Amino acid sequence: MVMPSDASLFTHSLQRGDTALSAVVRVLAETSRSTDQAGAVDAALEAARVASGMQSVVLRPHPPAGEAGEAGEAGEAGTASLTAPVSLRDREVLYLTVTGEHERPPNESEWTSVAALLGLCLRDAGIRASLEGELSARVAEIAAQRTFIERIIDSLPVGLYVVDRDYRIHAWNLKRETGLQGVSRQRAIGRTIFDVLHRQPAAVLRREFDEVFASGRMQQFQMESMATGVVRTFRISKIPMRTDDSRRAHVTHVITIGEDITDWRSALDRTAQSEKLAALGQMATGVMHEINNPLATIAACAETLSLQAEDAERADAQAPGVPPGDPRELLHIIDLEVQRCKKIVQGLLDFARPKPVHLDDVDLNAVVRQVMFLMQHHPRGKKVSLVTELEESSPLLVRGDADRLVQVLMALVLNALDASADGARVLVRTLHVPLAGHASGCAIDVVDEGHGIPRESLSKVFEPFFTTKEPGRGTGLGLSICYGLVMEHGGLLAVDSALDRGATFRMVLPPLGAPSLAAGAGIPALVHEPIGSAA
């Protein structure tokens, strides 16, 4: 900074209208935005020399030899020189040497003010250069970080894009450019999502985004595409994003991620099929016993028919006119028993046979009835009482695959039977449950009176390979597969239990026409109740 004495000289010089100082001020003002500070100072000194009529004006890094520098000191013959220090932050760093004719020596006050002004100018130039350097470094750092983040997003094996509340695209990664749509980033950024994604109906897209903007919860669902000529399965996740720290509840953007899960879906289907066959193996003994009953009836009817035929032959031989027994009633019984066997076998085959996913309107009461029909042939079903409570006052219609829902409920009931002692009861009930953002959800509860699940294990029951069963009695995959199948249907699977008090599993699905349930859809607290209070 300029010392008070320098500032005073500077002010007085301006008031006097010193030509050298005025020239320096004018040139420095004209070159204030120049990046060549050295050139600007040289131009200012030259203008000062011309305006003041001096022979030379030089800025030196060192004082003249012999520390000469007092105003009016003799230089060469017929000249007079003056040296004024140029201070930068209270330290002399440069020296201004002015030489004029002996008759017209340099004015000490004027050139001291010029030196003070140069010090001020150089100080500001240094500060500006430092700030510009820091700014350039910061800009380069931000640019590098942005490039790095873009590379991360482009390296993801999923399609990703971001839209704002006006549905305009702000991000579009490389996978979206090279994926099924094949839209370049330049064409996508700044346009509305409806202008870019033509395959999805605009009304459906708008409803999906509006749900996330309104609820602030992530939405996830699956869809199939034939764009490549082969059916591919994709998991679509819509994630809320908030950029306004002052309004944390306000969703400003939605991140959409599309992931090809065809291979994962196929692996899950194969594992699920294995679980179904394992359950079928458990039921084999009960099925054999169940079929033995109608087979015994058929054998008895066949034996009766044979005896009637023998009686008829003896009657014809010994006493003509004796009427033979009417076989139609026995044939009718045989037909009923054959149909019964066929129905049992067909039900098991329908359960065991792998089927493609087929979404339809499904009544949860019908799902329960089908499972109860199958479970009556299970060996444990003979020793444990299966109780049903069905909500008949209003329909429980959902959109889904009936076969997969049967598989989920079958697995839950089998687990309940395995956990129950002889003579215990297992309750399967359907009901409507209130949900946040929905009028109600359609639910199936499976309640048992078994040994229960420790509290510390409740958070792990849906993890793959976790099981509380004895070694050799379970793979630990059943509940994790159930969880995945329920999520596929846009639903949720919850559990509540206490040690030695049984367990309650609840499957909740969105009603027909409602969107998928988010992970935090707000299922009412699931409190396990003894079967006696509900049955």
Side-chain angles (χ1 to χ4, degrees):
M1 64 182 287
V2 183
M3 296 298 291
S5 58
D6 294 335
S8 177
L9 289 171
F10 178 62
T11 304
H12 292 160
S13 296
L14 283 177
Q15 290 173 349
R16 291 195 308 267
D18 291 336
T19 55
L21 183 60
S22 299
V24 171
V25 170
R26 174 178 54 78
V27 174
L28 291 180
E30 292 174 353
T31 60
S32 61
R33 296 185 179 275
S34 173
T35 57
D36 184 9
Q37 288 297 319
V41 170
D42 289 342
L45 293 178
E46 177 62 20
R49 186 194 68 78
V50 172
S52 63
M54 295 293 105
Q55 290 182 356
S56 67
V57 179
V58 182
L59 199 60
R60 304 166 184 258
H62 305 287
E67 295 297 332
E70 295 298 330
E73 279 198 14
E76 297 180 3
T79 63
S81 297
L82 178 141
T83 298
V86 177
S87 299
L88 184 62
R89 294 191 177 94
D90 302 333
R91 185 167 55 88
E92 296 180 357
V93 294
L94 295 172
Y95 297 89
L96 178 66
T97 301
V98 184
T99 304
E101 297 177 357
H102 187 72
E103 294 79 9
R104 191 180 179 184
N107 183 294
E108 180 181 3
S109 175
E110 180 178 13
W111 289 104
T112 302
S113 298
V114 170
L117 179 60
L118 289 176
L120 186 64
C121 176
L122 292 174
R123 186 200 68 178
D124 291 343
I127 293 174
R128 186 171 70 176
S130 176
L131 291 176
E132 288 177 350
E134 291 180 7
L135 180 61
S136 298
R138 184 59 178 161
V139 169
E141 181 183 353
I142 293 174
Q145 288 178 350
R146 177 170 182 158
T147 301
F148 184 70
I149 292 172
E150 288 178 350
R151 294 288 172 84
I152 291 175
I153 295 175
D154 283 342
S155 300
L156 294 175
V158 297
L160 181 149
Y161 64 88
V162 181
V163 301
D164 60 17
R165 296 187 75 90
D166 294 327
Y167 313 105
R168 294 198 175 276
I169 300 171
H170 286 253
W172 190 267
N173 78 339
L174 183 63
K175 187 70 173 180
R176 294 295 312 182
E177 290 188 291
T178 59
L180 299 179
Q181 296 287 111
V183 179
S184 68
R185 186 173 302 168
Q186 290 74 19
R187 285 183 54 200
I189 299 295
R191 299 175 64 190
T192 68
I193 194 66
F194 314 118
D195 295 333
V196 178
L197 300 183
H198 303 293
R199 293 195 180 107
Q200 288 96 326
V204 175
L205 274 176
R206 188 184 301 274
R207 185 172 66 248
E208 292 172 356
F209 286 114
D210 288 347
E211 175 72 18
V212 181
F213 281 125
S215 66
R217 297 191 301 266
M218 183 181 77
Q219 303 290 329
Q220 193 172 75
F221 54 89
Q222 294 183 18
M223 62 175 293
E224 294 183 346
S225 173
M226 286 284 294
T228 61
V230 180
V231 178
R232 307 292 297 180
T233 304
F234 294 88
R235 179 192 291 125
I236 308 299
S237 302
K238 294 192 180 295
I239 306 166
M241 175 180 171
R242 300 167 176 86
T243 59
D244 188 353
D245 291 336
S246 62
R247 303 169 61 193
R248 294 299 301 168
H250 180 67
V251 178
T252 57
H253 298 76
V254 172
I255 305 170
T256 301
I257 296 176
E259 181 182 4
D260 188 338
I261 59 169
T262 305
D263 296 338
W264 174 85
R265 178 67 263 173
S266 298
L268 182 62
D269 286 345
R270 290 193 296 270
T271 309
Q273 181 64 18
S274 299
E275 285 290 314
K276 288 205 310 187
L277 294 177
L280 191 65
Q282 294 180 26
M283 298 171 63
T285 304
V287 169
M288 293 302 100
H289 176 76
E290 192 72 21
I291 292 180
N292 271 337
N293 292 332
L295 288 179
T297 303
I298 292 172
C301 291
E303 183 179 2
T304 301
L305 285 173
S306 177
L307 292 175
Q308 286 182 349
E310 292 176 2
D311 290 344
E313 290 176 357
R314 285 196 296 271
D316 289 339
Q318 300 174 5
V322 176
D326 188 357
R328 286 177 295 181
E329 183 177 352
L330 295 174
L331 292 174
H332 178 66
I333 294 174
I334 291 174
D335 180 64
L336 290 178
E337 295 302 305
V338 168
Q339 294 301 323
R340 180 182 171 190
C341 292
K342 182 179 179 182
K343 188 176 180 181
I344 293 171
V345 173
Q346 187 63 47
L348 295 177
L349 290 177
D350 288 341
F351 174 70
R353 186 181 297 118
K355 298 178 183 178
V357 178
H358 177 68
L359 298 182
D360 203 350
D361 295 351
V362 179
D363 182 1
L364 293 189
N365 285 341
V367 171
V368 173
R369 293 188 184 99
Q370 183 176 351
V371 171
M372 290 300 101
F373 169 75
L374 294 173
M375 293 309 302
Q376 67 181 341
H377 311 305
H378 191 280
R380 291 294 298 160
K382 308 297 183 181
K383 301 178 181 179
V384 177
S385 176
L386 286 171
V387 183
T388 59
E389 287 184 0
L390 303 183
E391 171 60 58
E392 304 283 6
S393 60
S394 59
L396 291 98
L397 293 177
V398 300
R399 185 72 177 172
D401 185 301
D403 183 62
R404 290 170 186 258
L405 294 179
V406 166
Q407 180 178 348
V408 171
L409 185 55
M410 176 75 76
L412 296 179
V413 174
L414 284 174
N415 280 348
L417 291 177
D418 287 342
S420 301
D422 291 353
R425 290 178 298 173
V426 171
L427 169 67
V428 180
R429 65 186 171 204
T430 58
L431 67 159
H432 292 283
V433 294
L435 295 175
H438 299 77
S440 65
C442 301
I444 300 178
D445 284 355
V446 178
V447 188
D448 66 62
E449 298 175 329
H451 47 68
I453 304 171
R455 287 290 178 183
E456 61 271 16
S457 300
L458 283 180
S459 60
K460 305 175 184 178
V461 294
F462 299 120
E463 294 179 3
F465 304 108
F466 177 82
T467 179
T468 59
K469 296 180 180 180
E470 299 172 1
R473 291 195 60 194
T475 62
L477 290 174
L479 287 178
S480 65
I481 292 172
C482 289
Y483 189 86
L485 293 178
V486 174
M487 289 290 289
E488 268 188 11
H489 286 73
L492 298 169
L493 189 59
V495 60
D496 185 82
S497 180
L499 206 57
D500 298 324
R501 293 185 56 195
T504 298
F505 283 84
R506 173 171 290 175
M507 174 175 60
V508 185
L509 299 173
L512 201 61
S516 300
L517 305 181
I523 295 182
L526 180 59
V527 179
H528 177 72
E529 298 177 356
I531 294 179
S533 64

